[in-house]
């Protein structure tokens, strides 16, 4: 096992928020959605505090609606619309990630076994380090979520949790970034 695959570095990282849209959210179990959203918002705050770029996608918004307002209010850039399940099959998305010149991605969103899985696979094929906090991705059915998580792990992605990512990126207590994150860790 290559231990380096578990190391996430803020200057090399990028957060990708995949398809947190109204109609998908309405299809989720309420407690699963609330927990997933809370953990995703925590990671968005972390990235804003630590200057980690964030990309937002929407799968066919005409049919699935807009990004949830809680997320939209925190991300000041428009969503990249897509019709492919993998973000990396969209030319606009590829153009954006090239601008950042980063090789580590944190994937959050919906659904774990479809868009998150296919995006993770395509990043892994391109030699990116892929981190998926399992508490910040969801699917309509728990079995589908499990399959998505297992497939990503088997393909070489790192399955983690949002709080582990927060503390990996912060690295130590007492910094201004750590203090700014405290309110989101409660």
């Amino acid at each position: 096992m290559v231990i380096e695959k578990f190391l996430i570095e803020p200057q090399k990282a990028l957060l990708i928020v995949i398809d947190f849209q109204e109609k998908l959210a309405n299809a989720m179990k309420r407690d699963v959605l609330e927990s997933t959203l809370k953990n995703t918002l925590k990671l968005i705050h972390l990235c804003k505090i630590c200057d980690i770029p964030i990309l937002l996608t929407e799968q066919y918004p005409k049919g699935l609606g807009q990004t949830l307002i809680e997320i939209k209010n925190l991300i000041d850039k428009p969503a990249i619309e897509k019709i492919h399940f993998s973000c990396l099959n969209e030319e606009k998305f590829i153009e954006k990630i090239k601008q950042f010149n980063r090789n580590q991605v944190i994937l959050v969103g919906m659904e774990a076994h479809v868009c998150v899985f296919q995006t993770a696979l395509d990043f892994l094929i391109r030699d990116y380090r892929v981190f998926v906090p399992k508490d910040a991705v969801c699917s309509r059915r728990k079995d589908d979520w499990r399959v998505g998580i297992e497939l990503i792990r088997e393909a070489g992605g790192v399955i983690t949790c949002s709080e582990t990512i927060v503390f990996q990126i912060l690295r130590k207590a007492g910094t201004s970034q750590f203090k700014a994150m405290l309110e989101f860790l409660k």
Side-chain angles (χ1 to χ4, degrees):
M1 179 187 311
V2 179
I3 201 76
E4 287 81 20
K5 96 174 204 175
F6 295 95
L7 302 175
I8 188 164
E9 302 168 69
Q11 68 279 9
K12 294 181 179 179
L14 181 64
L15 176 67
I16 304 187
V17 181
I18 301 171
D19 308 342
F20 253 104
Q21 293 165 257
E22 299 157 338
K23 288 189 180 173
L24 282 173
N26 289 338
M28 300 296 162
K29 291 183 179 161
R30 188 63 31 207
D31 60 326
V32 170
L33 176 64
E34 287 173 8
S35 175
T36 304
L37 182 59
K38 178 184 176 195
N39 291 315
T40 296
L41 294 173
K42 183 188 311 178
L43 290 170
I44 292 170
H45 285 293
L46 171 74
C47 291
K48 290 178 76 131
I49 289 166
C50 296
D51 295 319
I52 296 170
I54 304 168
L55 288 178
L56 175 65
T57 69
E58 289 179 344
Q59 176 74 28
Y60 186 63
K62 197 179 202 179
L64 295 176
Q66 301 296 306
T67 298
L68 296 178
I69 193 72
E70 298 91 336
I71 290 174
K72 243 185 187 174
N73 286 341
L74 291 178
I75 300 175
D76 55 358
K77 295 178 179 91
I80 300 168
E81 290 185 25
K82 63 188 189 69
I83 57 170
H84 292 92
F85 300 121
S86 171
C87 296
L88 286 156
N89 284 325
E90 297 291 341
E91 198 56 44
K92 287 180 185 174
F93 184 85
I94 292 171
E95 290 169 16
K96 283 284 185 194
I97 62 166
K98 283 181 181 176
Q99 293 173 7
F100 297 113
N101 195 29
R102 293 174 178 239
N103 65 353
Q104 299 178 2
V105 292
I106 304 162
L107 303 179
V108 299
M110 299 179 190
E111 288 189 78
H113 65 294
V114 182
C115 295
V116 176
F117 164 65
Q118 289 186 33
T119 300
L121 209 56
D122 282 344
F123 271 117
L124 289 164
I125 288 167
R126 290 166 173 81
D127 293 325
Y128 280 75
R129 284 192 201 159
V130 174
F131 298 85
V132 178
K134 67 181 188 174
D135 58 354
V137 296
C138 60
S139 295
R140 287 166 289 149
R141 290 175 293 280
K142 191 165 188 170
D143 282 343
D144 293 338
W145 170 85
R146 261 193 215 105
V147 166
I149 294 298
E150 289 170 17
L151 288 171
I152 294 166
R153 178 182 283 123
E154 287 178 35
V158 175
I159 303 303
T160 184
C161 67
S162 58
E163 195 159 298
T164 296
I165 289 176
V166 168
F167 286 102
Q168 270 190 289
I169 288 175
L170 292 175
R171 299 197 190 271
K172 67 178 185 176
T175 65
S176 60
Q177 292 172 328
F178 177 82
K179 290 175 185 171
M181 271 306 291
L182 281 177
E183 71 178 282
F184 307 109
L185 297 172
K186 297 175 182 178

